[in-house]
Amino acid sequence: MKELLQVEKVCIRYGKLEAVRGVSLSLSAGETLGLVGESGCGKSSLGRAILGLEPIAAGRVTFEGRSVTALKGPALKQFRRQAQMVFQDPFGSLNPRMSVGAAIEEVLFVHKLGGSRAARRGKVAELFEDVGLDPEWVRRYPHEFSGGQRQRIGIARALALEPKLLVADEPVSALDVSVQAEIIRLLKRIQRERGLSYLFIGHDLAVVREMSDRIAVMYKGEIVETGTADQICDRPQNSYTQKLLSVVPDIDTALA
């Protein structure tokens, strides 16, 4: 498979705290790489830094062979059309004073996509249908939706620019297990239909395994083990990975 994303020896610092230390990983086109670790290990910081939402102290990120580490202005805007994020808290990432349809339409307007206002609204309706929501709901506000529905709206907004990469930062951790299963199935379907690549960040190894082709295990700012999903979950080599597996819940029933 063609390599889409390359992270090379990336370090992220907050003052004297080194949150990410020399992390390297790669992601191929159409692949899902799971990034798993406990809260505070640096995985969300890394995901945000890949998209230029956090400064990188050292190292390099390349996308389709081009360095994106120091992009600014129009070049950064162009990159973000190709790489989008699905946030952990869909409610916190939506403007409570703006209808959900207007929030997605604004993305199209800012990036000069979708044509006329009527065409943009038609595109928003299509995105709603694609994530399993009634297009009639576009005039509603975030507080009128359930957590699972808001996450679908967040996914629709991320898809509006037709990206090649989605960084999904704990996208189901705030949801009930049954709703988690629905969102996982949705993400898988969208990936099949659109050929997307995912960096899927989470702390629940059962969920990450269900989504991922490969898994990278992160501990205290470093990658301690990488392998296929089966290798990591069935034959873990690192003691920290073994510890994560010892507390894995069973979500097979919900995903059936």
Side-chain angles (χ1 to χ4, degrees):
M1 289 186 291
K2 181 180 178 182
E3 189 170 87
L4 183 75
L5 177 74
Q6 183 79 34
V7 176
E8 302 173 76
K9 299 181 179 178
V10 163
C11 298
I12 302 169
R13 300 189 183 99
Y14 302 112
K16 295 183 178 180
L17 173 65
E18 194 168 32
V20 175
R21 295 193 293 274
V23 165
S24 297
L25 54 83
S26 63
L27 178 62
S28 297
E31 181 188 34
T32 298
L33 174 66
L35 183 61
V36 66
E38 61 194 359
S39 296
C41 72
K43 59 188 187 297
S44 292
S45 293
L46 179 61
R48 290 175 61 85
I50 287 170
L51 298 185
L53 300 173
E54 295 282 355
I56 292 174
R60 186 171 74 148
V61 177
T62 58
F63 184 82
E64 294 188 318
R66 178 190 177 194
S67 176
V68 296
T69 305
L71 291 181
K72 296 180 181 179
L76 179 58
K77 183 178 178 181
Q78 178 63 32
F79 168 59
R80 286 182 179 160
R81 282 181 55 174
Q82 301 179 76
Q84 284 283 300
M85 177 168 274
V86 176
F87 295 92
Q88 176 181 6
D89 179 9
F91 188 70
S93 64
L94 292 167
N95 186 338
R97 297 180 179 85
M98 183 180 287
S99 72
V100 293
I104 298 174
E105 186 183 343
E106 182 182 50
V107 173
L108 296 169
F109 178 78
V110 167
H111 286 269
K112 296 180 173 58
L113 297 174
S116 67
R117 188 173 187 183
R120 290 196 301 270
R121 288 181 172 180
K123 176 68 173 178
V124 172
E126 290 176 8
L127 288 165
F128 260 57
E129 288 184 330
D130 202 20
V131 299
L133 295 174
D134 189 334
E136 295 295 322
W137 295 349
V138 296
R139 295 180 181 85
R140 296 184 181 181
Y141 289 80
H143 71 272
E144 299 180 75
F145 294 91
S146 68
Q149 289 170 333
R150 286 196 290 262
Q151 194 56 283
R152 289 174 186 267
I153 293 164
I155 293 168
R157 185 175 58 181
L159 294 175
L161 300 178
E162 300 183 358
K164 297 178 181 180
L165 168 67
L166 283 188
V167 176
D169 185 12
E170 301 264 15
V172 299
S173 64
L175 306 175
D176 293 339
V177 172
S178 61
V179 182
Q180 287 184 8
E182 293 174 4
I183 298 300
I184 288 169
R185 283 193 288 266
L186 171 64
L187 288 169
K188 285 184 170 183
R189 175 178 63 77
I190 289 169
Q191 184 175 44
R192 288 195 304 270
E193 294 174 353
R194 296 176 178 246
L196 284 167
S197 299
Y198 291 150
L199 177 62
F200 189 91
I201 300 170
H203 65 272
D204 185 332
L205 196 47
V207 172
V208 174
R209 179 181 191 173
E210 184 63 29
M211 276 297 303
S212 304
D213 301 302
R214 292 186 298 118
I215 295 174
V217 182
M218 198 165 184
Y219 179 61
K220 292 185 176 180
E222 299 178 339
I223 300 295
V224 296
E225 187 168 3
T226 305
T228 67
D230 288 345
Q231 287 171 342
I232 294 296
C233 295
D234 297 337
R235 300 178 298 279
Q237 301 300 306
N238 185 273
S239 59
Y240 176 68
T241 309
Q242 294 166 0
K243 177 184 174 183
L244 282 179
L245 280 164
S246 69
V247 295
V248 168
D250 184 2
I251 63 168
D252 289 345
T253 301
L255 291 169

